[in-house]
């Protein structure tokens, strides 16, 4: 809890706020702010959300959790209902998804062929 307290204190100081000002802005008692910053009081989930929103950071940032990223294989995506893909605020349908993946595959193959051709040209110039 001490790490989150140090982070909260740094955020408050970076925003040039006193404990009194922050407590007033959030509707918390000053003792709550002091308790969080000193690590003597555990931050409640509801207060964690309020603090994150106030400082415009994520809860994960306050908790020093790394962002976890999953791999999404567009070629093996069988159920578009399990995720929501959108472009220009419109849902992407299966046909569009197939077109996008085909485009990317062709573009990558063309780049590989161009790179190989450049390598051959460079070899011919040297030889």
């Amino acid at each position: 809890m001490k790490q989150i307290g140090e982070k909260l204190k740094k955020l408050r100081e970076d925003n040039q706020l006193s404990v009194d000002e922050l407590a007033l802005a959030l509707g918390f008692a000053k003792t709550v702010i002091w308790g969080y910053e000193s690590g003597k009081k555990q931050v409640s989930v509801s207060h964690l959300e309020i603090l994150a929103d106030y400082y415009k950071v994520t809860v994960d940032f306050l908790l020093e959790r790394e962002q976890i990223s999953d791999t999404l294989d567009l070629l093996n995506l069988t159920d578009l209902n399990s995720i929501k893909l959108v472009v220009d605020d419109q849902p992407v349908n299966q046909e569009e998804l197939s077109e996008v993946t085909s485009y990317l595959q062709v573009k990558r193959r063309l780049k590989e062929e161009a790179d190989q051709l450049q390598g051959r040209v460079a070899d011919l110039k040297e030889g």
Side-chain angles (χ1 to χ4, degrees):
M1 283 293 106
K2 190 151 178 87
Q3 287 177 328
I4 191 170
E6 290 168 0
K7 185 162 280 211
L8 290 172
K9 183 174 182 177
K10 181 169 178 9
L11 282 167
R12 180 179 55 76
E13 290 173 347
D14 288 350
N15 283 275
Q16 300 175 340
L17 295 167
S18 68
V19 171
D20 290 337
E21 291 168 328
L22 181 62
L24 182 64
L26 299 177
F28 296 175
K30 289 186 287 189
T31 56
V32 170
I33 304 292
W34 287 324
Y36 291 163
E37 290 184 359
S38 67
K40 294 179 181 176
K41 183 169 178 50
Q42 187 172 355
V43 183
S44 70
V45 174
S46 61
H47 282 189
L48 198 59
E49 290 175 326
I50 292 168
L51 287 159
D53 290 345
Y54 182 79
Y55 288 123
K56 295 178 178 51
V57 297
T58 64
V59 171
D60 282 340
F61 172 79
L62 292 177
L63 296 175
E64 295 185 345
R65 293 174 44 157
E66 291 184 24
Q67 194 72 18
I68 299 169
S69 66
D70 290 328
T71 300
L72 179 63
D73 186 349
L74 295 179
L75 289 175
N76 294 318
L77 186 62
T78 56
D79 181 17
L80 269 180
N81 295 326
S82 65
I83 59 166
K84 184 176 182 180
L85 294 174
V86 294
V87 174
D88 296 329
D89 295 323
Q90 298 291 317
V92 175
N93 62 38
Q94 191 67 49
E95 182 182 341
E96 291 170 323
L97 186 58
S98 295
E99 290 174 5
V100 167
T101 53
S102 294
Y103 168 78
L104 290 172
Q105 288 174 321
V106 169
K107 184 177 177 186
R108 289 175 180 171
R109 280 191 211 116
L110 289 173
K111 183 177 181 338
E112 284 177 23
E113 289 175 13
D115 290 346
Q116 289 172 358
L117 185 58
Q118 279 182 334
R120 287 188 206 133
V121 169
D123 290 345
L124 288 173
K125 286 182 180 178
E126 291 176 4

